[in-house]
Amino acid sequence: MSNASSASNVAAKQVVTRIAPSPTGDMHIGTARTALFSWLYARARGGKFLLRIEDTDRARSTPEATQGILDGMAWLGLDYDGAAVSQFEQAARHAEVANQMLAAGTAYKCFATQDEIEAFREEARANKTSTLYQSPWRDADPSTFPDAPFVIRMKAPRTGVTVIKDQVQGDVTIKNDQIDDMIVLRSDGSPTYMLAVVVDDHDMGVTHVIRGDDHLANSARQMMVYEAMEWDLPVYAHIPLIFGPDGKKMSKRHGATGVKEYQAMGYPAQGMRNYLARLGWSHGDDEFFSDAQAMDWFDLDGINKSPARFDTKKLDNICGQHLAVMEDAQIVSEIEDYLAASAQPELTPEQKSCLLSAMYCLKGSSKNYPQLIEKARFALNVRPVDIDEKAQKQLGTVSNGILNELTPHLRSVSWDRDALEAAVGRVMETQDIGFGKVAGPLRAALAGRTQTPSVLDMMFVLGREETLARLSDAVQE
Ligand code: GLU
C-alpha cells in the first residue's frame, strides 16, 4: 500500500480536523480532550475544526446526548466551523460509496446466511484455523447470485501488511491476514460505522484524524476503504486514553467523567482547557498557560505515548491560577452562567456590582465558582446578615464593646484600606488586644461567617454606610 505517499499529499492542504462523538451518554472528558487537541491543532494553523455527531446507531443515540455535546463544546469554548454534521443523515451517500466499491470490484455482494457464517466458524475452531470469516462469494460469478438478501463486504487484501503511520504511536503494522472482509453495507441498505466514518471524513475534507487510541485497530480497516476509493489518507494521531489515579481507564469509579459534571462543579472553562491540554500532552515543564500559548505550542509530537492520569488536585490548582488572573468582569459573567446552569437564583444588579468591586479580594484564593461565591457571601448578602453558629460565637458582650468602640472611628476615617487599618489599630491599642480579637467579631458582623476575605477588604468593599449598619445590627442582637 502506498500509505506514506498518500498521507504526504495532505501536507500542503488546509488543515481540517474534527471531533466525531457518538451521542450515547454524557459527553466524556476524554471526548472533550480529543476535541480540544483537534481544535488547537486546526486553529493554530488557520485550519478548520468540524463537529460530526455519529448518530448512526439509532438504538443508542439520543437527542439529549447530542444536546449535551453541543452544550459541552459551547461551555469549553470549542467553536467549530459550519453546522454540526449528522452521520445518520449521510446514509444515502454511504450506500452510494458502497455501491461504487462494488462496481469497481473492491467490494462484493455476500449472500452468506448467519447459519453459514456460524458453521464456518465452528469448523475453523475445530480445525484450529482462523475464525475470520472468508466468504465464498468474494470471487463468485454474478450469474450464480441467488435472489436473496445480501450484504456488501470490502475485499480486503489477504496478504502483506497495513502500516498505520501514526503521529503518536509511530508505525503500527497490522498483518492483512488478521483483517476480514468487513461488511460496509448491511442487507437492509444501512451503512456500517466503519464505512460511514471514512466516507464522512473524506467528504468533510478531514486531513488529520486525532482520536482516542481505542480506535487504532479500526484504522487499518478504514485505510483499506481510502485505498479502495483512491482517496488521500488523513494523518492519524491516536491519543492514549485518560486513566484514573489507579492506572485504570478513567470511569465513574474514579469520580466525575462527564464534562457537564465539571461545569456543574463550577470550574472556569479556561482552567479546564488548560488542564485538559496538559492531560496527555506536554510542552516542557509548563503547567499553567493561556489559550494563546497552548495554540502556539500545541503539536502532535508533544502528545505522550503513555496514558495520562487524571488528578483533581492539579485541576484545582490550575483553575485557581486562572481565576487569579482572569478579568473581573469575565469572572462575574461566568458566575452568572454557572448560576444559570446549576438552576440557582440569578444575581441582582446590586449583587453584581458589589461582586465586581469585591472581586479583587476573592479571585486570588478560589479554585472554582462555588468557593468564590462562598467567599463573596459578605458582598452578596443583604441585611440583616444571616449569622451561622460558628460566627455567632464571636459575638457577645465583650465583642459588643469592641464593635461599639470601633464605630466612631469608622464614622470619621477616610474610606481607604490604610485608614481602616489604622482605625482597627486604635481599638487594639486602647483595649490592649490583638488583631484577631477585633477581626473575629467584625468578621461575624460583616459576613456572618468565620471564613471570609480580610475584614479590611470587606469594610472597604461594603462602604461606610453598610459597614456601620451591619455593626449596629450585630451589637443590637
Ligand atoms: N464516534 C467515535 C467515538 O465516539 C469516534 C470515531 C472517530 O473519531 O473516528 O468514539
Side-chain angles (χ1 to χ4, degrees):
M1 296 184 113
S2 54
N3 308 335
S5 63
S6 327
S8 64
N9 287 346
V10 298
K13 288 193 216 158
Q14 183 194 34
V15 166
V16 180
T17 63
R18 51 53 161 191
I19 181 73
S22 307
T24 54
D26 282 346
M27 186 184 188
H28 195 275
I29 44 163
T31 307
R33 183 192 57 164
T34 305
L36 174 67
F37 283 9
S38 303
W39 178 80
L40 285 171
Y41 192 78
R43 291 282 175 261
R45 288 162 183 77
K48 283 190 181 161
F49 169 63
L50 309 175
L51 170 64
R52 179 172 71 239
I53 305 291
E54 301 216 312
D55 50 359
T56 297
D57 184 340
R58 302 314 282 166
R60 296 182 60 221
S61 302
T62 66
E64 293 75 28
T66 298
Q67 192 55 48
I69 293 162
L70 300 178
D71 292 347
M73 301 278 287
W75 174 57
L76 286 169
L78 303 177
D79 58 324
Y80 49 91
D81 294 289
V85 171
S86 152
Q87 184 162 69
F88 175 67
E89 285 172 16
Q90 317 306 315
R93 166 70 180 147
H94 303 147
E96 179 185 63
V97 170
N99 282 301
Q100 279 171 14
M101 285 166 60
L102 197 59
T106 52
Y108 61 93
K109 291 182 183 176
C110 173
F111 296 88
T113 62
Q114 271 314 312
D115 288 348
E116 286 165 354
I117 296 172
E118 202 29 61
F120 173 94
R121 295 218 170 102
E122 239 163 65
E123 199 182 318
R125 275 192 287 269
N127 297 337
K128 298 205 166 24
T129 53
S130 165
T131 54
L132 285 185
Y133 183 59
Q134 298 208 355
S135 170
W137 298 100
R138 180 170 156 123
D139 298 305
D141 179 347
S143 68
T144 65
F145 286 178
D147 183 17
F150 60 87
V151 298
I152 297 182
R153 286 185 188 271
M154 167 94 225
K155 209 180 254 184
R158 288 199 171 153
T159 56
V161 294
T162 296
V163 182
I164 306 159
K165 297 189 135 334
D166 194 86
Q167 298 300 301
V168 178
Q169 317 284 339
D171 284 2
V172 179
T173 303
I174 297 184
K175 285 193 185 141
N176 289 340
D177 63 9
Q178 307 287 309
I179 299 175
D180 63 356
D181 288 350
M182 66 171 175
I183 297 174
V184 289
L185 207 68
R186 298 190 191 91
S187 55
D188 64 0
S190 66
T192 57
Y193 163 73
M194 292 293 243
L195 174 71
V197 170
V198 175
V199 175
D200 292 344
D201 278 341
H202 169 264
D203 288 359
M204 291 163 77
V206 172
T207 59
H208 292 70
V209 170
I210 302 172
R211 62 185 171 193
D213 68 4
D214 48 338
H215 287 282
L216 182 63
N218 289 342
S219 299
R221 298 167 124 205
Q222 292 175 9
M223 280 167 65
M224 288 177 181
V225 179
Y226 282 97
E227 294 285 333
M229 292 302 292
E230 298 180 355
W231 289 339
D232 285 346
L233 280 175
V235 172
Y236 284 112
H238 287 92
I239 328 163
L241 301 181
I242 300 172
F243 281 7
D246 60 356
K248 299 213 174 86
K249 195 179 151 187
M250 179 88 176
S251 71
K252 297 249 177 263
R253 262 182 320 115
H254 298 109
T257 54
V259 171
K260 213 163 88 183
E261 292 169 87
Y262 287 91
Q263 182 181 14
M265 284 186 248
Y267 285 109
Q270 82 178 50
M272 197 71 197
R273 276 197 296 277
N274 180 164
Y275 180 67
L276 286 177
R278 270 294 287 115
L279 206 50
W281 168 80
S282 45
H283 179 265
D285 293 331
D286 294 302
E287 293 288 349
F288 169 68
F289 42 80
S290 65
D291 289 329
Q293 284 170 316
M295 233 169 249
D296 212 23
W297 296 339
F298 185 81
D299 210 343
L300 302 179
D301 57 18
I303 298 177
N304 307 328
K305 263 190 178 173
S306 47
R309 292 186 187 208
F310 198 90
D311 181 342
T312 310
K313 277 209 184 98
K314 248 189 184 170
L315 170 67
D316 283 347
N317 182 289
I318 285 180
C319 286
Q321 292 187 61
H322 277 276
L323 279 174
V325 299
M326 270 165 74
E327 293 288 336
D328 296 355
Q330 191 193 339
I331 298 182
V332 173
S333 140
E334 290 200 9
I335 286 179
E336 290 187 296
D337 293 345
Y338 162 75
L339 292 172
S342 51
Q344 295 184 57
E346 58 184 45
L347 300 176
T348 62
E350 296 74 36
Q351 284 179 318
K352 205 169 146 178
S353 87
C354 208
L355 187 57
L356 209 48
S357 21
M359 197 53 76
Y360 79 95
C361 66
L362 301 170
K363 65 182 192 176
S365 55
S366 308
K367 297 174 181 74
N368 53 47
Y369 292 129
Q371 273 187 12
L372 196 145
I373 291 169
E374 181 57 29
K375 293 207 179 84
R377 197 177 276 279
F378 80 94
L380 300 174
N381 278 353
V382 284
R383 289 179 49 224
V385 172
D386 132 72
I387 299 176
D388 75 10
E389 221 178 292
K390 260 177 145 180
Q392 197 68 59
K393 291 200 179 116
Q394 297 288 329
L395 299 171
T397 344
V398 179
S399 69
N400 282 355
I402 297 170
L403 296 180
N404 280 334
E405 181 163 348
L406 181 63
T407 301
H409 293 296
L410 295 182
R411 279 210 188 95
S412 58
V413 290
S414 62
W415 208 258
D416 59 56
R417 224 175 162 284
D418 286 346
L420 291 168
E421 191 168 8
V424 171
R426 253 167 268 149
V427 176
M428 286 160 60
E429 240 176 66
T430 44
Q431 300 253 343
D432 194 20
I433 50 175
F435 181 78
K437 285 272 186 301
V438 188
L442 193 47
R443 200 183 296 282
L446 297 174
R449 294 291 180 275
T450 46
Q451 298 288 320
T452 71
S454 116
V455 287
L456 302 176
D457 284 323
M458 288 197 288
M459 289 193 285
F460 179 68
V461 169
L462 290 170
R464 192 191 314 269
E465 206 183 312
E466 182 70 18
T467 299
L468 289 171
R470 289 189 188 196
L471 258 56
S472 134
D473 289 346
V475 169
Q476 271 155 39
E477 274 203 8

